[in-house]
Amino acid sequence: QKKLKSNSFKRKVILEVGPGDGISTALIAASFGASSILIDADNFAKKDINYLVKLSNYLKKKGLNCPDIYISDTLEEVLAKCNSRYLTKGLESFYSIQENSVDLIFSQAVLEHVYKSDFIYLIGEFFRICKLDGICSHQVDLRDHLGGGLNNLRFSEDLWESEFFKKSGFYTNRIQFEEMIEIFNKVGFSCHDIKINRWEKLPLSKNKMSSQFKDLSINNLNIKSFDVILKK
């Protein structure tokens, strides 16, 4: 709490990738004197801002300098009070962000949903807009989004990357841990503070996986999620 009350975030720029149906990050960032950019693939934010009013009251009780939010405010008014931008055109949204302008980029269980064909470009955009002393913090969930196992590895590349599967609602890019780390490094980031969460036993036997995954090591495949800090 003492650390959070410092001025370490004042005048910083924070970018969240994939905020989903809420813009809480805008309010929290503003409470610490930071501005924010929220990027998503579409406009998923809830129009009912009652949850933001409650969050505002909570942050004020914690002694933070939170903007006044009222139930009559529109979403656009809340964003303006928080000095926040909500961009909803996915990768295209990054075009409006200057290079070396963002202090912190973060995501929670989002990177695995980025189309495989777009992934390295997205990480390249992170590198472009991140300040030289900035960081990226990502939590990546490598489990399938059907039942929390590895059933997504059953399918061939052609079928899984088809438009039908991409629009299914449970698409993941199936980029495994070692390959994802390689991409981060290839773009120019260094990886730090990696925390790995593993299965004790693979939830799907290798002989049931598509051929492209059968040759991967158990040590790679049994990683179900990980956290990583990226630095320029």
Side-chain angles (χ1 to χ4, degrees):
Q1 186 72 14
K2 183 177 179 180
K3 183 178 179 181
L4 289 177
K5 284 188 176 181
S6 72
N7 291 325
S8 58
F9 288 98
K10 196 169 184 179
R11 291 187 292 275
K12 300 293 186 181
V13 179
I14 297 172
L15 187 149
E16 180 180 12
V17 183
D21 63 359
I23 62 164
S24 299
T25 292
L27 200 57
I28 296 169
S31 297
F32 289 98
S35 61
S36 60
I37 305 169
L38 314 179
I39 293 183
D40 221 324
D42 207 337
N43 189 338
F44 300 119
K46 295 182 289 189
K47 302 302 179 185
D48 180 0
I49 65 162
N50 187 53
Y51 74 101
L52 293 173
V53 175
K54 293 179 180 178
L55 178 58
S56 174
N57 292 333
Y58 171 81
L59 293 170
K60 287 178 181 179
K61 287 180 181 178
K62 292 295 182 179
L64 298 172
N65 187 24
C66 182
D68 293 320
I69 305 299
Y70 305 104
I71 197 64
S72 58
D73 287 340
T74 65
L75 194 65
E76 290 72 22
E77 288 170 335
V78 172
L79 290 167
K81 288 181 179 182
C82 296
N83 193 18
S84 178
R85 288 193 287 162
Y86 179 47
L87 309 178
T88 58
K89 293 186 178 180
L91 285 174
E92 188 178 330
S93 299
F94 285 87
Y95 299 160
S96 65
I97 303 174
Q98 294 182 344
E99 64 181 47
N100 301 318
S101 63
V102 179
D103 296 281
L104 169 64
I105 301 169
F106 78 95
S107 68
Q108 297 290 323
V110 172
L111 294 190
E112 68 272 13
H113 292 291
V114 177
Y115 292 158
K116 186 175 182 179
S117 58
D118 293 334
F119 190 83
I120 193 167
Y121 174 80
L122 175 65
I123 306 306
E125 284 297 282
F126 289 170
F127 190 83
R128 180 183 68 82
I129 67 175
C130 188
K131 290 182 179 178
L132 292 176
D133 59 349
I135 64 170
C136 303
S137 174
H138 301 291
Q139 193 279 328
V140 184
D141 186 353
L142 298 176
R143 296 171 291 186
D144 69 52
H145 288 56
L146 294 164
L150 288 175
N151 288 302
N152 54 346
L153 304 191
R154 293 176 181 268
F155 302 90
S156 69
E157 185 79 351
D158 287 344
L159 179 58
W160 189 259
E161 293 296 324
S162 67
E163 286 303 309
F164 175 76
F165 272 71
K166 282 182 175 180
K167 305 297 184 183
S168 64
F170 53 75
Y171 173 87
T172 60
N173 53 43
R174 307 193 299 180
I175 301 173
Q176 300 302 297
F177 171 76
E178 291 178 1
E179 183 182 1
M180 199 172 286
I181 294 298
E182 286 179 7
I183 292 172
F184 296 150
N185 290 329
K186 181 178 180 179
V187 166
F189 284 115
S190 58
C191 299
H192 304 265
D193 301 320
I194 299 174
K195 296 180 176 60
I196 292 174
N197 185 21
R198 297 180 183 273
W199 280 290
E200 292 184 5
K201 180 182 178 181
L202 283 182
L204 180 71
S205 63
K206 291 182 75 172
N207 62 12
K208 293 182 179 180
M209 296 179 186
S210 178
S211 57
Q212 71 187 93
F213 301 106
K214 287 181 178 179
D215 292 334
L216 296 181
S217 68
I218 297 294
N219 200 47
N220 191 10
L221 288 170
N222 72 0
I223 298 174
K224 56 182 175 180
S225 65
F226 69 95
D227 299 327
V228 62
I229 299 294
L230 307 179
K231 297 180 180 179
K232 270 194 172 181

